[in-house]
Structures are given as C-alpha cells and as structure tokens.
Amino acid sequence: HAEEVICHIDCLQSMRDRINGLPEVLMCCIQSTFANFVSRILTAKRLSEESLDQYFCEYQTLLQAWIEAFSLIENERADDAATKWTGCVLEVFSFEISKALPSAAVDAISDDRLNN
C-alpha cells in the first residue's frame, strides 16, 4: 500500500521520469564504451591469441550489459534487442570507416608522390 501511495505523489514525478530513463542512458554509455573498444582493436599494434581472448571476453561483457539494460526498458520487445544491437554495431563500424577513408586517401596520395 505504501508503494502505491509513493507512486502517486506528484512531486516525485520528475524523479520517476529520470529513473525510468536510466536504462537508455546506460545503453548510451555501453554503446560509447563499445565504440572505444572497437577503436582500440583497430589501432592495436599487434593482436595475439591472448589479446583476442581478452577482447572476446570484453565484447561478451559489453553485449550482456547492453542486453540487461535493454531488458529494463518498458515497452520494448525482446525480439528487438538483436536488431537494435546490430544497429549499434553498424553505427560504430560506419564511424570507424568514415575515419579511415580520409587517412587512406592521404596515404594513397603520399605513396603516389613517393613513387613518382
């Protein structure tokens, strides 16, 4: 009964709204961490079997955390989780590709100048 009364106190509405928005904030943080994770892998000097195992464990942790945060969001279907995670991965890879293209173009121009 006390919980019901607390849920209907108007002055707590903004706090309830912020609390209800926490899963989305958490998912954004996880997505940002995932983007940094991908960047670290792409800029690694050397990938050993041991480092690949560590990366795999980190990926599993990030994915599991993201799924848990997704499951806290009301009105979201579990079937949508895979689609939304795939969208996150595609965004990160697209961003990394957009960073790499100008660098590749500069490298190609530099190589042409050195060869001539």
Side-chain angles (χ1 to χ4, degrees):
H1 180 62
E3 184 177 328
E4 228 177 86
V5 171
I6 290 174
C7 286
H8 295 295
I9 297 175
D10 290 336
C11 66
L12 297 178
Q13 184 60 43
S14 67
M15 182 177 69
R16 282 193 299 274
D17 292 343
R18 287 194 312 265
I19 289 170
N20 289 337
L22 286 177
E24 286 93 352
V25 172
L26 179 58
M27 286 175 64
C28 287
C29 291
I30 294 167
Q31 290 169 351
S32 175
T33 302
F34 177 70
N36 290 334
F37 165 76
V38 170
S39 182
R40 277 195 344 260
I41 292 173
L42 293 174
T43 58
K45 299 290 185 217
R46 193 171 63 96
L47 294 175
S48 66
E49 190 172 324
E50 184 178 297
S51 67
L52 289 176
D53 288 342
Q54 290 172 343
Y55 286 136
F56 180 73
C57 288
E58 188 174 347
Y59 174 80
Q60 284 182 313
T61 302
L62 286 168
L63 177 58
Q64 188 60 41
W66 190 90
I67 289 170
E68 291 298 324
F70 184 85
S71 71
L72 295 173
I73 298 174
E74 294 178 29
N75 303 323
E76 289 289 354
R77 295 186 348 227
D79 298 347
D80 294 337
T83 302
K84 292 202 177 194
W85 177 251
T86 302
C88 170
V89 171
L90 287 174
E91 284 179 28
V92 169
F93 286 146
S94 294
F95 177 72
E96 290 297 330
I97 290 169
S98 71
K99 287 186 341 188
L101 286 175
S103 180
V106 168
D107 289 346
I109 292 169
S110 296
D111 287 346
D112 284 346
R113 287 185 181 162
L114 289 175
N115 292 331
N116 290 331

